[in-house]
Amino acid sequence: MDLNMVAEEPDTLFSRLKIAEKLGYDMVAINHVVEDMALSASASKKEKKKKIVIPHPDKVKVDDAKLRTNNINVSGRPFKQCSRLSTIITDPSAAHRLHSPEVQQYDLIAVQPTSEKTFLLACKTLNVDIITIDVTQKLSFQIKRSLLNLAMERGLFFEIQYSPAIRDNSLRKYTISNAHQLVLMCKGKNVILTSGCKRPIELRGPLDVANLGVMFGLTEAQAKAAVSTNCRAVLYHAEARRLTKSTIGVEKISLPITVDAANVKQNDVSEEPKQKKAKIDDSCLLEHKEAVT
Amino acid sequence: MVRHKNRYILCEIIYTDNKRIERHMTDYMVYGAVISALQTAHGDFGIGSLQSSLCVKYVNPITSMVLIRARRGAHKMVQSALYFIKKIGQYEAFFRTLHLGGTIRSCCKFLIKHHKQKLPKLLSECKDEEERRKVQEIISSYSDEYKKEQLIASF
């Protein structure tokens, strides 16, 4: 899984997706970057933001159709995409905008703290899924273990992008040093490795990325988890985040539920199964919550 | 007598332009790319500890498969260096590690399995039924065992 595919430069996006599929990824998050949440406060910018947020699912859909034409996967698994919004928070007061419904409708939300204050905020209160560690410059704050533990309890994950390391020599040094700092503090738990690629050449296969994780000081099992199971956990967390405000989430029924519905007496098919569905969805939600904590 | 142990890294070259054409690719070009990447990633120590054992055993320009040998223990350095490669010869390309094996034979086995898995997808890319049938005929004309022998012989 690769949870960071920058959505800019749409002409290369398709080729990047194609290569990602070739490399064996089965899930890709297409990332929309908002530079600064504080800037989008003014009225004109707000419109812009709205414009940006809404077309996103459509964009993904078009690609889906395009992909389906030349995408018959060997393993039989469909290639999935989800949307992701990431932002840099510099000002703690602007952070509440992350809770607006436009932002929350994204599949994943990531923040990149720039100072100790915002890092604390992100770890403690913000309703997000991923905390990005900046790898393009020296870290401007100390990562504290107490804060990390707080974030881990909430089920947040820390992201290290690996494509800057391929892009440039000096960025590589920063990537390695920052990643080492993080891994040292969190003991290799709750880390995900994502690409953040802008060109197709900056993508790497899952095995190679896991190997890079070993370079960052993770153990081999942790490095593998960083590209697979941890990413899945992020998705679960995101789903729980989107569902917490509603009491009941209605989704398509999967197979075991239909069996349940069939067991209910056939006479009142119209009424019974609906309730059943809702209940089961509720229990799913609980499961998600449990998985997160 | 202690056996000298090696690790064989089986990689696929992935060209970023995503076209399926035969390219000019030699083992020398791959070796050059690996060595220069090793220099930037691990410096003189990396080169020194691997110079005697590093060897590109097999390059297939058609399927773009590469087999690289390295001393066991130091192969981690090769793997991490492979990661940073952006250019091989004159092409923009990178490596994707498929398998890490202890012997050439194990890599070969894996390669055959890998190609078998890929086959349905490749067949689906044929333009019409005629082409597809032809390809299938060619493949089936080689029995499994014969194919294996050929591959081993080509190493």
Side-chain angles (χ1 to χ4, degrees):
Chain A
M1 282 196 187
D2 179 14
L3 292 182
N4 188 355
M5 186 83 82
V6 180
E8 288 150 24
E9 300 156 45
D11 12 321
T12 64
L13 180 65
F14 184 60
S15 68
R16 271 182 284 156
L17 285 178
K18 215 171 167 188
I19 282 194
E21 193 270 333
K22 202 175 170 189
L23 285 172
Y25 289 107
D26 55 0
M27 180 99 185
V28 158
I30 294 167
N31 190 5
H32 178 75
V33 184
V34 178
E35 279 303 325
D36 200 342
M37 271 294 170
L39 278 179
S40 54
S42 62
S44 60
K45 285 277 168 86
K46 225 176 195 175
E47 279 174 16
K48 225 180 197 179
K49 202 181 101 194
K50 267 183 190 170
K51 263 180 201 169
I52 292 163
V53 172
I54 292 162
H56 224 269
D58 297 344
K59 226 185 206 173
V60 175
K61 265 177 200 166
V62 171
D63 270 332
D64 239 8
K66 233 180 173 182
L67 282 173
R68 219 171 286 141
T69 51
N70 40 22
N71 235 34
I72 300 141
N73 239 343
V74 187
S75 52
R77 275 181 170 176
F79 185 66
K80 281 187 227 154
Q81 304 167 64
C82 58
S83 55
R84 165 186 155 153
L85 180 105
S86 53
T87 178
I88 302 166
I89 43 171
T90 45
D91 184 12
S93 62
H96 69 272
R97 279 199 195 83
L98 280 171
H99 294 274
S100 67
E102 290 137 41
V103 175
Q104 292 284 331
Q105 78 181 20
Y106 270 86
D107 286 340
L108 294 169
I109 300 174
V111 290
Q112 180 179 318
T114 49
S115 64
E116 195 133 355
K117 255 187 192 170
T118 48
F119 186 65
L120 180 113
L121 193 72
C123 285
K124 248 185 176 171
T125 54
L126 277 186
N127 200 5
V128 293
D129 312 307
I130 301 169
I131 297 174
T132 308
I133 303 295
D134 188 15
V135 290
T136 52
Q137 59 196 13
K138 206 171 167 230
L139 271 187
S140 53
F141 55 92
Q142 279 266 312
I143 300 173
K144 281 184 191 153
R145 183 165 281 166
S146 56
L147 287 181
L148 284 185
N149 286 340
L150 259 179
M152 277 185 214
E153 260 171 37
R154 292 177 61 220
L156 301 185
F157 280 78
F158 297 93
E159 178 197 40
I160 303 167
Q161 294 183 10
Y162 64 77
S163 75
I166 300 168
R167 219 174 291 152
D168 190 31
N169 244 351
S170 56
L171 291 185
R172 190 179 305 167
K173 285 169 202 163
Y174 289 129
T175 307
I176 291 173
S177 84
N178 289 0
H180 265 290
Q181 270 186 50
L182 176 71
V183 169
L184 205 70
M185 279 300 152
C186 69
K187 295 179 193 162
K189 281 182 226 155
N190 285 36
V191 175
I192 56 172
L193 291 165
T194 62
S195 75
C197 63
K198 287 184 179 149
R199 288 185 301 149
I201 196 143
E202 287 159 4
L203 265 171
R204 289 292 181 269
L207 262 179
D208 296 288
V209 177
N211 192 53
L212 186 81
V214 175
M215 240 172 118
F216 287 161
L218 300 167
T219 64
E220 261 173 57
Q222 282 167 347
K224 254 188 193 161
V227 281
S228 55
T229 47
N230 284 1
C231 293
R232 200 147 291 148
V234 170
L235 288 174
Y236 280 140
H237 181 262
E239 206 162 321
R241 165 176 60 75
R242 268 176 291 139
L243 288 174
T244 38
K245 273 192 182 170
S246 56
T247 47
I248 297 172
V250 179
E251 280 180 38
K252 277 182 193 167
I253 324 163
S254 57
L255 197 65
I257 299 173
T258 52
V259 170
D260 261 29
N263 286 342
V264 179
K265 281 180 186 175
Q266 297 263 322
N267 300 338
D268 35 20
V269 186
S270 55
E271 292 279 330
E272 260 322 292
K274 269 188 188 170
Q275 286 180 356
K276 199 92 188 175
K277 233 190 287 174
K279 269 180 195 170
I280 286 161
D281 267 52
D282 236 356
S283 67
C284 280
L285 185 83
L286 280 177
E287 271 173 26
H288 280 312
K289 274 184 188 167
E290 277 168 14
V292 165
T293 48
Chain B
M1 192 56 194
V2 181
R3 201 156 87 103
H4 185 256
K5 285 194 176 172
N6 288 319
R7 282 283 177 268
Y8 295 89
I9 307 166
L10 184 70
C11 322
E12 184 184 5
I13 300 172
I14 291 178
Y15 301 98
T16 41
D17 54 4
N18 232 335
K19 284 173 197 148
R20 190 165 287 131
I21 42 170
E22 195 182 338
R23 294 171 168 87
H24 175 69
M25 181 61 68
T26 60
D27 51 354
Y28 189 74
M29 280 154 74
V30 176
Y31 184 80
V34 173
I35 278 284
S36 62
L38 204 59
Q39 175 71 49
T40 50
H42 296 287
D44 295 336
F45 172 73
I47 298 249
S49 57
L50 277 157
Q51 207 163 32
S52 57
S53 63
L54 190 69
C55 174
V56 178
K57 277 283 178 188
Y58 169 71
V59 173
N60 191 335
I62 300 169
T63 58
S64 64
M65 292 295 169
V66 174
L67 190 68
I68 299 165
R69 186 190 70 184
R71 185 166 63 83
R72 198 190 66 159
H75 68 277
K76 287 253 140 143
M77 276 198 275
V78 182
Q79 273 190 302
S80 52
L82 283 183
Y83 178 85
F84 294 112
I85 287 173
K86 281 192 282 192
K87 214 167 188 193
I88 306 164
Q90 70 268 37
Y91 307 111
E92 282 224 328
F94 59 91
F95 287 109
R96 170 200 175 193
T97 313
L98 293 173
H99 184 71
L100 182 72
T103 53
I104 295 185
R105 180 176 275 272
S106 82
C107 288
C108 176
K109 268 183 194 163
F110 178 86
L111 192 57
I112 290 167
K113 211 175 94 191
H114 178 75
H115 281 317
K116 267 185 192 161
Q117 277 179 348
K118 275 258 176 104
L119 199 62
K121 193 181 178 186
L122 290 176
L123 278 176
S124 72
E125 278 176 25
C126 292
K127 276 171 200 126
D128 49 19
E129 280 297 309
E130 184 70 13
E131 198 181 315
R132 188 176 181 150
R133 217 197 62 241
K134 264 185 195 169
V135 175
Q136 271 171 336
E137 262 173 26
I138 293 167
I139 292 168
S140 58
S141 68
Y142 289 88
S143 78
D144 255 359
E145 282 310 304
Y146 182 61
K147 226 164 62 181
K148 248 184 214 171
E149 269 174 32
Q150 272 235 324
L151 254 168
I152 290 166
S154 68
F155 277 117

